[in-house]
Amino acid sequence: MSSLVGFSSLVLAIGINFYLFLSRYIFKFQKQKFNLFIRFSSLLTLLSFFSLMYAYVVSDFSIYNVFQNSHSNKPLIYKISGTWGNHEGSMLLWLSILSIFSFFFSFTKNIDESFQRLTLIIQSLLHILFGLFIVFTSNPFLVNSILVNEGLGLNPILQDPGLAVHPPILYVGYVGYSIVFSIAIAGLFQNTDDEWLYVAKKWSLISWTFLTGGIALGSYWAYYELGWGGWWFWDPVENISLMPWIAGLALVHSLMMVRGEQAIKKWIVFLSILCFSLSVFGTFLVRSGILTSVHSFTADASRGIFILLIFFIVTGFGFLVFLLKEPKKSNTLNLLFINKVSAIVINNILMIIATLTILLGTIYPIIIEVLYNKRISVGGPYFNSTVIPIMIPGFLLMSIAPILSWQTNKIQNSKKYAIGFIMLSILVLIQSYFSDFNTWGFVGLLLGFWIILASIIAIFSSYKVKFNIKFFQIINPHIAHIGVGIAIVGITCSSVFQNELDFNLNEGDKFNVNGKTVLFQEIENTNKINYQALRGKFIFDIEKNQSKKIEAGKNYYPVSKMITSEAGILHQWNKDIYFILGDQKNNEWFVKVLINPFVSFIWLGVAIMIYSGFIAVTRR
């Protein structure tokens, strides 16, 4: 029953969107009726998705997708997350989120009726393309030809609370750029005033904020779940999410810069198309199976070809309209030697160069394999040595951009900034001298603390401090930059100043970590609902009454016959003590301990950026 309801709802929703697409040329609807059809189509798509979710919750193994990716003994949260923990379900989630954006956009008020309708028609076209992709290559409602009583289970790596909520949040960011794309194309076709730019600003902020949250969740999951002690390892799928994030950041800043300049309007259209194109291209890379990653789901070439075709249709159509249509004639771009416009333009260019650099490093191994049938890998050394140097000047410009003028070369309170920068440089240099001096460490700390300090100086120099909602809305851009500075400090400290200790231990042994005595208490085996847990129990700082208990180990999932690492992490405000339990050899257990200084600052900074994004969305 679930399969019939789900598939019928999906097909009917595609049919309605096709009908709405034809309404542009054949049928003529009034605004109210047109929006009613859009909302009905969205509700049908959501009904299809929740029908699949219901099948997972009740363990309906008559549906092949549920049989492949679920098990009756799984906890409820993983039955629900199993809905999108596979290729077919994740693509249905993609389509559902696209329909949600269309649904909410249909309620937008105070915009031109023909502009709103054209935007939703473009959304309907996207709905048709991805809907047909699901129906013909990725149908999640196929029925098993034989009767089965039990499923094969969900990938153990995906059986984690963080990864259960990570994909939906990430997809809101990815798919959110569809509405930005549609708004930009509709704005070019209608050739209206600047109205569409302000509409696009709101939706691009929503997409970028959710994408930031999704990337942060994925990063934190990789940190505590994969058991290697890092939070980012330039995995191809990580790169795929980072590219639209950087391009989206450029788009958000460009939309803040609009003062009627035609060149900036064209740039905004270009970025709007680029952001969604990168999202679709990332979907192609993950779903085609040509990338090897812990995040990828499928290795079906036919699916990859279909998505690649969608990518060429969307990107080709978008850039063709971009080349043929001109925004409405307006002011020329006001570029001076150093003003706010110049700083943001240069920063935008640097961000796009960084995006293209990441794209090259991600697809280069694929190109080499196609041409020479030879596998190579491009990892951290390439990205660290190319992307980071490109981004550093951009961050420096970001720290001073808020204090620049729109129309003149004048820098307000320049003496305060010069004195602050000199004093901060001296302090960081002294800190670096008394610790193990590292060039990247010095640059990263100086950059991070300077962004924080410059933002604080700007707040106290430019505004009358009042602790109310309006004040925090006004200084919101500075708050976002403070979050960036805090994250840079966390990234620098945890990457450059990380300390690693290795031990071979017997149960009952004591060892020293960071000046504290740690007891390796015992190894314990327990049986959980859907896995077997092996845990090494440690007591940190055993000589004090307020000692901390830490558990690190492995999980064995009998259904899928897979083993996952489970790190033990002691969180402190200035560092994480990270325990990894290795294998047993000669009756001794290998234990790795990592001291990650200020790693929590990464997610604190990101949380501030997300907060700032939502404040910017609510501000008029």
Side-chain angles (χ1 to χ4, degrees):
M1 186 64 181
S2 298
S3 60
L4 179 61
V5 172
F7 186 74
S8 301
S9 301
L10 176 62
V11 172
L12 185 56
I14 296 171
I16 291 174
N17 278 278
F18 188 70
Y19 183 64
L20 291 173
F21 178 69
L22 292 178
S23 71
R24 170 74 177 174
Y25 306 100
I26 302 174
F27 312 107
K28 298 298 180 183
F29 292 141
Q30 293 182 350
K31 177 182 177 180
Q32 186 175 4
K33 186 177 181 182
F34 182 88
N35 287 340
L36 189 64
F37 272 99
I38 284 287
R39 294 162 194 169
F40 183 53
S41 163
S42 301
L43 293 175
L44 283 172
T45 308
L46 289 175
L47 176 61
S48 177
F49 177 75
F50 284 113
S51 295
L52 182 64
M53 183 182 291
Y54 174 78
Y56 270 89
V57 170
V58 300
S59 297
D60 182 2
F61 299 121
S62 66
I63 298 178
Y64 183 70
N65 184 266
V66 180
F67 163 71
Q68 284 279 78
N69 300 283
S70 190
H71 193 275
S72 58
N73 289 334
K74 281 197 311 180
L76 178 61
I77 184 175
Y78 301 134
K79 288 183 178 181
I80 294 173
S81 63
T83 311
W84 54 79
N86 58 87
H87 167 75
E88 293 82 2
S90 67
M91 291 310 302
L92 186 57
L93 174 64
W94 170 287
L95 188 67
S96 300
I97 294 173
L98 188 144
S99 67
I100 289 172
F101 274 97
S102 299
F103 179 87
F104 283 109
F105 188 79
S106 71
F107 287 97
T108 305
K109 298 179 180 179
N110 302 321
I111 61 173
D112 181 73
E113 180 181 340
S114 60
F115 166 71
Q116 184 187 41
R117 178 176 296 194
L118 182 55
T119 301
L120 290 172
I121 285 174
I122 297 170
Q123 282 289 103
S124 292
L125 176 61
L126 296 175
H127 193 288
I128 294 166
L129 291 173
F130 282 97
L132 292 177
F133 167 73
I134 293 173
V135 169
F136 289 111
T137 71
S138 308
N139 184 1
F141 298 106
L142 295 177
V143 178
N144 265 321
S145 58
I146 59 173
L147 181 65
V148 291
N149 297 318
E150 194 54 86
L152 301 180
L154 179 66
N155 186 341
I157 293 179
L158 305 180
Q159 296 185 40
D160 178 86
L163 211 64
V165 297
H166 158 69
I169 294 175
L170 190 71
Y171 272 24
V172 172
Y174 268 152
V175 186
Y177 284 119
S178 68
I179 196 72
V180 180
F181 169 86
S182 300
I183 290 169
I185 299 300
L188 281 181
F189 270 114
Q190 293 289 333
N191 206 8
T192 56
D193 292 326
D194 295 346
E195 179 185 33
W196 69 270
L197 296 168
Y198 299 103
V199 176
K201 179 180 177 181
K202 172 185 175 181
W203 293 102
S204 64
L205 275 167
I206 292 172
S207 301
W208 183 84
T209 302
F210 273 97
L211 187 57
T212 303
I215 292 173
L217 276 173
S219 171
Y220 188 63
W221 167 81
Y223 178 68
Y224 71 78
E225 176 65 22
L226 298 184
W228 70 289
W231 52 272
W232 190 270
F233 54 102
W234 294 108
D235 178 88
V237 178
E238 288 182 339
N239 299 344
I240 286 164
S241 65
L242 185 62
M243 288 187 289
W245 184 86
I246 297 175
L249 190 60
L251 174 61
V252 167
H253 283 86
S254 296
L255 285 164
M256 292 178 179
M257 185 172 54
V258 172
R259 294 293 185 274
E261 297 93 345
Q262 183 180 0
I264 294 303
K265 289 182 184 178
K266 291 216 71 172
W267 179 246
I268 288 170
V269 174
F270 171 80
L271 289 175
S272 301
I273 298 169
L274 180 65
C275 286
F276 186 57
S277 296
L278 287 172
S279 297
V280 177
F281 185 67
T283 304
F284 157 70
L285 291 178
V286 176
R287 307 302 169 192
S288 63
I290 63 177
L291 286 180
T292 302
S293 166
V294 296
H295 306 78
S296 56
F297 288 126
T298 184
D300 191 331
S302 63
R303 293 170 176 173
I305 292 171
F306 203 120
I307 298 181
L308 188 62
L309 180 62
I310 294 176
F311 168 75
F312 282 127
I313 292 173
V314 171
T315 305
F317 170 73
F319 283 115
L320 183 63
V321 175
F322 169 75
L323 293 172
L324 296 179
K325 292 283 185 178
E326 286 282 346
K328 189 175 181 179
K329 296 296 182 183
S330 50
N331 303 333
T332 57
L333 188 60
N334 181 31
L335 286 174
L336 297 173
F337 175 67
I338 180 167
N339 71 342
K340 197 183 290 285
V341 174
S342 302
I344 296 178
V345 167
I346 295 171
N347 205 1
N348 271 229
I349 294 171
L350 290 171
M351 289 179 189
I352 296 305
I353 293 173
T355 301
L356 295 176
T357 304
I358 296 171
L359 178 63
L360 177 63
T362 304
I363 66 174
Y364 182 72
I366 302 171
I367 296 171
I368 293 298
E369 185 174 0
V370 170
L371 294 178
Y372 301 105
N373 195 26
K374 180 180 179 182
R375 280 188 175 268
I376 66 168
S377 61
V378 176
Y382 163 80
F383 293 105
N384 291 331
S385 60
T386 55
V387 178
I388 293 176
I390 294 171
M391 295 296 287
I392 286 176
F395 287 129
L396 283 172
L397 279 172
M398 183 189 70
S399 66
I400 64 169
I403 65 172
L404 300 178
S405 170
W406 284 106
Q407 302 296 334
T408 70
N409 283 324
K410 183 179 179 181
I411 303 178
Q412 298 177 352
N413 303 305
S414 56
K415 289 184 179 179
K416 291 181 181 179
Y417 288 95
I419 293 171
F421 184 78
I422 292 170
M423 292 180 63
L424 180 63
S425 300
I426 293 171
L427 290 174
V428 175
L429 188 62
I430 292 172
Q431 184 274 336
S432 300
Y433 178 78
F434 284 103
S435 61
D436 294 331
F437 183 83
N438 183 287
T439 303
W440 284 115
F442 173 76
V443 171
L445 288 178
L446 180 61
L447 179 63
F449 282 120
W450 167 241
I451 292 173
I452 297 170
L453 180 61
S455 301
I456 293 173
I457 293 174
I459 291 172
F460 283 94
S461 300
S462 306
Y463 308 99
K464 186 177 180 180
V465 178
K466 292 181 179 180
F467 293 100
N468 54 39
I469 295 176
K470 186 176 180 181
F471 172 73
F472 283 102
Q473 287 181 334
I474 293 172
I475 67 169
N476 189 53
H478 301 292
I479 293 175
H481 289 176
I482 289 173
V484 173
I486 292 173
I488 290 174
V489 171
I491 289 169
T492 302
C493 291
S494 62
S495 302
V496 175
F497 303 113
Q498 184 187 70
N499 190 19
E500 179 179 324
L501 303 170
D502 296 333
F503 303 94
N504 290 297
L505 303 169
N506 289 306
E507 295 177 59
D509 285 353
K510 295 180 181 179
F511 57 104
N512 187 276
V513 174
N514 209 33
K516 306 293 184 181
T517 302
V518 183
L519 171 66
F520 180 24
Q521 190 176 26
E522 62 176 340
I523 292 289
E524 182 180 75
N525 288 284
T526 56
N527 290 319
K528 302 294 183 180
I529 296 177
N530 60 324
Y531 65 89
Q532 297 170 2
L534 181 146
R535 293 291 184 270
K537 297 191 173 184
F538 302 87
I539 301 178
F540 185 83
D541 203 5
I542 192 172
E543 296 175 350
K544 290 190 176 181
N545 294 329
Q546 296 180 342
S547 58
K548 304 291 185 181
K549 293 183 178 180
I550 305 169
E551 294 186 0
K554 305 172 187 296
N555 290 342
Y556 173 69
Y557 294 81
V559 174
S560 56
K561 296 181 172 56
M562 287 184 63
I563 298 175
T564 62
S565 296
E566 302 296 323
I569 307 174
L570 174 62
H571 297 287
Q572 299 178 340
W573 76 270
N574 62 338
K575 62 180 176 292
D576 278 2
I577 312 295
Y578 192 102
F579 287 75
I580 304 167
L581 182 69
D583 296 327
Q584 186 181 30
K585 188 176 181 180
N586 298 328
N587 296 322
E588 290 184 326
W589 290 90
F590 175 74
V591 177
K592 178 183 289 186
V593 180
L594 299 170
I595 295 103
N596 295 327
F598 295 100
V599 68
S600 58
F601 277 34
I602 298 173
W603 297 289
L604 173 62
V606 171
I608 293 173
M609 285 187 270
I610 294 171
Y611 160 81
S612 179
F614 283 119
I615 292 295
V617 170
T618 59
R619 183 183 179 186
R620 290 187 177 181

